[in-house]
Amino acid sequence: PAAERSPLLSACDAAFVAAVAALQPEIVIGVGAYARAQATRCLAGMDVRIGQILHPSPASPAANRGWAPQAERQLAEMGVAL
């Protein structure tokens, strides 16, 4: 229910921000557009790059055409060493 979702999302956001603050990564990579949007919203003002790779959803035609090679290419384009 919506009344329960808001407190849950707030707790998740706070935990995510705390984890990023503690770990101090150079880059946070969202798996899909929603994850990237949430990271961008939560981490606004923090000194961290935010990237995105394709979500491996079975409903995604693009993901069904070789998700792993696509994700590896996207990571390489962001400068992530594999």
Side-chain angles (χ1 to χ4, degrees):
E4 293 178 16
R5 182 177 33 191
S6 182
L8 175 63
L9 292 178
S10 292
C12 290
D13 290 350
F16 176 57
V17 170
V20 171
L23 296 171
Q24 299 182 356
E26 294 177 21
I27 185 168
V28 170
I29 300 169
V31 180
Y34 177 79
R36 180 189 175 132
Q38 293 299 95
T40 299
R41 180 182 57 76
C42 288
L43 304 177
M46 292 181 75
D47 186 25
V48 62
R49 286 179 34 219
I50 299 173
Q52 174 183 333
I53 62 170
L54 178 67
H55 190 283
S57 169
S60 167
N64 288 323
R65 291 189 301 271
W67 177 83
Q70 291 183 76
E72 289 174 0
R73 179 185 48 76
Q74 292 169 330
L75 290 168
E77 289 171 356
M78 287 183 270
V80 176
L82 301 176

